[in-house]
Amino acid sequence: MAGYLTTHVLDTARGCPAAGLRIVLYRLSGDQRAQIVEMVTNADGRTDSPILPADTFATGSYELVFHAGDYLRASGQAVEDPLFLDQVPIRFGMADAQAHYHVPLLLSPYGYSTYRGS
């Protein structure tokens, strides 16, 4: 079994999945970052396929950038300019080549949290 990476974004202010939220994955190497893929969440707040599927999975350091500001504006939650939260970067490492890494985001206009999910 090869490893893979998934995410799930929940809008905690509205109590629903964050549909239509753009996510970009970067691979990090020292001070450099290279874009791997860009995806958009579906009606369930998930991507239609793994962000990093088993056939392209590699251990290392990564960054997910959640374009929260665009989502908050589209959902009518943007109440100020500039927004308190616009892009939410999460840097993390994946060391186990056989593991499923799940990086969920719990989002509201004024806060967010994440954890290693299952």
Side-chain angles (χ1 to χ4, degrees):
M1 176 180 127
Y4 61 104
L5 172 65
T6 58
T7 191
H8 187 197
V9 186
L10 296 173
D11 182 331
T12 57
R14 297 186 330 160
C16 63
L21 193 144
R22 184 166 59 111
I23 303 166
V24 182
L25 175 67
Y26 297 90
R27 182 168 174 83
L28 305 175
S29 180
D31 292 338
Q32 304 294 316
R33 73 179 193 166
Q35 183 174 329
I36 305 277
V37 68
E38 181 174 320
M39 302 180 110
V40 176
T41 57
N42 60 25
D44 192 35
R46 301 174 188 273
T47 55
D48 289 332
S49 61
I51 296 173
L52 195 57
D55 62 341
T56 59
F57 185 86
T59 59
S61 296
Y62 291 86
E63 179 180 57
L64 279 169
V65 178
F66 296 86
H67 289 260
D70 295 341
Y71 167 80
L72 294 168
R73 285 182 192 92
S75 65
Q77 298 180 74
V79 296
E80 57 189 24
D81 187 33
L83 293 178
F84 181 69
L85 292 176
D86 192 4
Q87 294 183 11
V88 175
I90 300 174
R91 290 191 170 193
F92 58 97
M94 298 187 294
D96 184 347
Q98 306 303 312
H100 170 201
Y101 286 86
H102 184 67
V103 181
L105 181 71
L106 305 176
L107 176 66
S108 77
Y110 297 102
Y112 67 91
S113 66
T114 190
Y115 54 93
R116 180 172 176 190
S118 58

